[in-house]
């Protein structure tokens, strides 16, 4: 048997099988190959993409620093939020809306877009469609025209129509008040649910966007590798009396003071409490 095998092997793998052309085949495609086309975009835009991008931000810019070695004391947390409250007793979100429904739509449209950009588009849209019924009557094509200045507007228009249909079919045309129901709506995820529950229904939720994520990590208030970790950490340390407005205080702090590239530590209300080793004061 071994002799047969060797013979067979020599016939099947003759020495004349050229080695060089094989190597050339391995090299040539790498140098001249056409890059594969990007996969087609999925129809549904959910928050999972923005969550992913927030996680990327964390890994590239923030997560090197972990403040867990020097956590804030309860007295320090209380002091920080007392200062935020004194400076701005009634903080407001910057997404323009007329009712819970338009708030929901605005938050869905704000994924990977600025509040200012969303407001620019929705001012006219909400004048003609401030209920799910009116949005359906307007139709997807016209919704798309109204929001075409916002990124991913085609998919977002589709989601706005789909969530309006679902609100009418399953919730009597009203925005539901439970997290699970909100998260079941097309284009809505945990952050959308938290914003709506907080702003429309006064619940003590903590929506973590890129600003809150950065502030929670940098200050050491609630370090975490994901938005969910930061959310749960903030809910753990912030006293209940501040929770209604805490989300807005932290967003505004991140947007106007604790800036991503160049934080304005010299004018920061909590610079003596912040744990960030690179703070400039
Ligand atoms: S001290 Fe600087 S890094 Fe710390 S929270 Fe204030 S602005 Fe941000």
């Amino acid at each position: 048997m071994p002799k047969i095998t060797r013979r067979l092997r020599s016939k099947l793998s003759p020495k004349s099988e050229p080695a060089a052309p094989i190597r050339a085949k391995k090299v040539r495609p790498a140098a001249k190959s056409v890059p594969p086309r990007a996969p087609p975009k999925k129809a549904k835009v959910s928050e999972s993409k923005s969550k992913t991008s927030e996680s990327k931000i964390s890994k590239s810019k923030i997560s090197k620093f972990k403040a867990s070695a020097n956590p804030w004391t309860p007295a320090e947390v209380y002091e920080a939020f007392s200062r935020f409250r004194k400076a701005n007793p009634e903080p407001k979100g910057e997404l323009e809306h007329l009712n819970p429904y338009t708030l929901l739509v605005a938050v869905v449209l704000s994924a990977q877009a600025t509040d200012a950009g969303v407001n620019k588009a929705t001012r006219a849209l909400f004048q003609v469609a401030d209920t799910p019924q009116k949005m359906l009557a307007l139709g997807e094509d016209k919704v798309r025209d109204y929001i075409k200045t916002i990124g991913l507007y085609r998919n977002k228009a589709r989601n706005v129509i789909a969530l309006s249909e679902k609100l009418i079919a399953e919730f009597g045309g009203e925005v539901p008040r439970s997290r699970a129901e909100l998260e079941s709506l097309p284009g809505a995820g945990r952050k959308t649910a938290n914003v709506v529950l907080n702003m429309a229904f006064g619940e003590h939720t903590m929506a973590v966007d890129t600003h809150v994520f950065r502030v929670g990590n940098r200050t050491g208030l609630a370090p975490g590798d994901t938005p969910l970790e930061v959310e749960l950490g903030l809910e753990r340390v912030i006293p209940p009396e501040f929770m209604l407005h805490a989300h807005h205080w932290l967003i505004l702090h991140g947007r106007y003071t604790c800036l991503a590239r160049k934080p304005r530590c010299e004018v920061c209300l909590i610079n003596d409490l912040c744990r960030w080793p690179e703070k400039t004061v």
Side-chain angles (χ1 to χ4, degrees):
M1 281 303 286
K3 284 181 182 174
I4 294 168
T5 304
R6 274 199 297 277
R7 268 189 229 118
L8 278 172
R9 190 181 301 138
S10 69
K11 281 182 181 177
L12 292 170
S13 305
K15 286 181 183 174
S16 57
E17 187 84 9
I22 290 173
R23 269 188 231 115
K25 273 181 187 173
K26 283 181 183 172
V27 171
R28 202 179 297 128
K32 294 187 179 178
S33 65
V34 177
R37 287 188 180 182
K41 287 179 183 174
K42 290 179 182 173
K44 183 182 174 187
V45 176
S46 71
E47 284 182 352
S48 60
K49 282 189 176 180
S50 68
K51 282 173 187 168
T52 302
S53 63
E54 283 166 17
S55 300
K56 281 179 185 166
I57 289 168
S58 78
K59 279 172 186 138
S60 63
K61 295 185 179 174
I62 297 170
S63 64
K64 289 175 197 158
F65 164 58
K66 284 281 182 191
S68 49
N70 186 17
W72 289 47
T73 65
E76 286 177 318
V77 179
Y78 194 92
E79 174 63 23
F81 283 90
S82 297
R83 293 181 197 174
F84 285 137
R85 179 168 60 188
K86 192 172 174 195
N88 186 4
E90 294 288 332
K92 296 278 183 268
E94 296 185 336
L95 270 182
E96 295 175 9
H97 59 282
L98 307 170
N99 52 35
Y101 170 71
T102 50
L103 173 64
L104 171 64
V105 171
V107 180
V108 166
L109 295 180
S110 73
Q112 300 174 72
T114 64
D115 287 1
V118 172
N119 291 339
K120 206 170 155 190
T122 55
R123 261 173 225 139
L125 173 66
F126 292 159
Q127 287 304 310
V128 294
D130 60 354
T131 65
Q133 293 83 354
K134 289 181 192 172
M135 199 66 80
L136 284 189
L138 191 62
E140 186 177 325
D141 289 353
K142 287 192 178 155
V143 171
R144 201 165 47 222
D145 285 345
Y146 276 103
I147 65 168
K148 64 187 174 192
T149 52
I150 305 174
L152 303 169
Y153 66 97
R154 286 190 178 85
N155 292 330
K156 287 179 179 177
R158 199 170 302 139
N159 281 336
V160 167
I161 292 297
L163 76 82
S164 301
E165 283 172 345
K166 186 160 183 169
L167 288 178
I168 293 170
E170 299 182 23
F171 303 106
E174 299 292 324
V175 175
R177 299 179 75 124
S178 83
R179 172 186 301 287
E181 288 169 331
L182 283 165
E183 288 187 20
S184 76
L185 297 170
R190 188 173 183 92
K191 191 182 81 177
T192 298
N194 280 334
V195 174
V196 173
L197 289 171
N198 177 254
M199 291 178 66
F201 303 126
E203 292 200 20
H204 290 184
T205 51
M206 175 59 65
V208 175
D209 69 350
T210 187
H211 300 299
V212 176
F213 187 83
R214 183 174 64 254
V215 172
N217 270 289
R218 260 189 193 163
T219 58
L221 259 175
D225 288 330
T226 64
L228 182 60
E229 275 181 33
V230 172
E231 176 190 328
L232 299 179
L234 288 169
E235 285 181 352
R236 232 179 352 258
V237 299
I238 299 173
E241 72 175 272
F242 298 112
M243 273 304 291
L244 181 62
H245 295 311
H247 159 233
H248 285 133
W249 282 320
L250 293 176
I251 282 186
L252 296 172
H253 187 66
R255 187 173 287 161
Y256 297 110
T257 304
C258 194
L259 308 180
R261 292 196 178 173
K262 208 171 173 193
R264 302 169 63 217
C265 304
E266 67 284 358
V267 296
C268 174
L269 280 179
I270 56 168
N271 56 19
D272 55 324
L273 301 168
C274 173
R275 303 295 203 260
W276 198 36
E278 294 174 39
K279 66 182 181 182
T280 57
V281 287

